[in-house]
Amino acid sequence: MFNSISGIITQKMPKQVFIEANGIEWDICVPDSNIDMLPVVGSEGKVYTWLQHTDMVMCLYGFASPDERSLFLDLLKVDGVGPKGALKIMSSVSSRRLMEVLENGDLEMLEKIPGVGKKTAGKMILTLKGKLKLSETETTVVRVAQAAPYSDLVASLVSMGFDKKLVEQKVAQLAEGLCNDKDFSAKSQKDREDILFRRALMELS
């Protein structure tokens, strides 16, 4: 079974990435949180894969790193969480934030994640608390570096009580996602910071 696909990223959409490798264009389901970790359209990238193959469906899932894929597979261990549900969960919250919530046993916060009800939240804590670990990856280092132009914004969010590393990753993720937005790029530095601040605050809360 193949472990990953490397090629030119030809298109990015919500929960979906197209990547062309050796004349074949792959249609891959990817969590929204991972899409921003991948290189921009037109660049070469690698997606770590997992294939769902049943009598009724065949779907290829992709992730920006082996750690992200491992978290997806861990979510599948939770009774009642299937591939689509795991994808939806990972699209709604960063992996590190999800792990923090699980480690804290924060049932209320888990229930706020789209697709997670009270019963499923309880099962997630019971199954995964104390069993998840996400190592530092090259992708993380790159994304933190991309947050550097917004150091004042990062400092403001950290002063509100958020973890610095988590804030840097979130700001870098959002900035990368908006880098090809002409309207965003045309705005002043202050306006860009205001947009990023509001979005980061919403996703970190």
Side-chain angles (χ1 to χ4, degrees):
M1 182 59 64
F2 46 85
N3 176 61
S4 65
I5 295 175
S6 296
I8 302 300
I9 296 176
T10 57
Q11 193 169 357
K12 286 183 178 183
M13 295 181 287
K15 299 184 179 64
Q16 190 176 31
V17 163
F18 291 170
I19 184 167
E20 185 174 345
N22 299 319
I24 299 174
E25 188 174 46
W26 299 85
D27 180 352
I28 307 173
C29 296
V30 178
D32 288 339
S33 59
N34 279 224
I35 287 177
D36 290 334
M37 297 179 188
L38 297 172
V40 298
V41 172
S43 302
E44 185 169 351
K46 175 184 283 189
V47 178
Y48 294 86
T49 57
W50 180 79
L51 178 65
Q52 179 190 22
H53 188 191
T54 69
D55 293 338
M56 301 296 293
V57 65
M58 180 182 291
C59 185
L60 188 62
Y61 291 82
F63 307 89
S65 71
D67 283 334
E68 295 288 329
R69 180 176 58 187
S70 293
L71 177 59
F72 174 83
L73 295 176
D74 284 331
L75 287 171
L76 296 185
K77 297 175 184 176
V78 179
D79 183 30
V81 176
K84 288 185 178 181
L87 188 77
K88 188 173 184 178
I89 291 170
M90 292 183 67
S91 292
S92 304
V93 62
S94 72
S95 298
R96 291 192 182 279
R97 178 57 177 159
L98 178 60
M99 286 166 41
E100 288 176 0
V101 171
L102 287 168
E103 287 303 304
N104 293 332
D106 192 339
L107 190 66
E108 183 178 353
M109 186 63 197
L110 277 176
E111 290 178 37
K112 293 180 180 179
I113 299 174
V116 178
K118 186 172 184 178
K119 185 178 293 186
T120 299
K123 291 179 180 178
M124 288 173 66
I125 292 174
L126 182 64
T127 305
L128 301 177
K129 184 177 180 179
K131 300 177 183 178
L132 300 177
K133 183 179 181 181
L134 192 63
S135 64
E136 294 298 326
T137 64
E138 182 179 354
T139 301
T140 299
V141 174
V142 172
R143 290 176 61 201
V144 169
Q146 289 171 332
Y150 302 101
S151 56
D152 290 341
L153 187 157
V154 170
S156 296
L157 288 166
V158 171
S159 70
M160 296 173 66
F162 296 108
D163 177 75
K164 182 178 180 181
K165 185 176 292 185
L166 184 62
V167 169
E168 288 175 334
Q169 292 169 6
K170 177 56 62 178
V171 171
Q173 173 190 335
L174 291 170
E176 183 181 357
L178 290 166
C179 67
N180 291 324
D181 187 320
K182 293 182 179 179
D183 290 336
F184 179 79
S185 300
K187 293 181 183 297
S188 67
Q189 176 73 8
K190 183 180 183 303
D191 287 342
R192 290 198 298 269
E193 288 185 356
D194 287 343
I195 292 171
L196 286 172
F197 180 83
R198 289 196 297 271
R199 292 195 183 185
L201 182 61
M202 181 177 65
E203 295 193 21
L204 289 167
S205 300

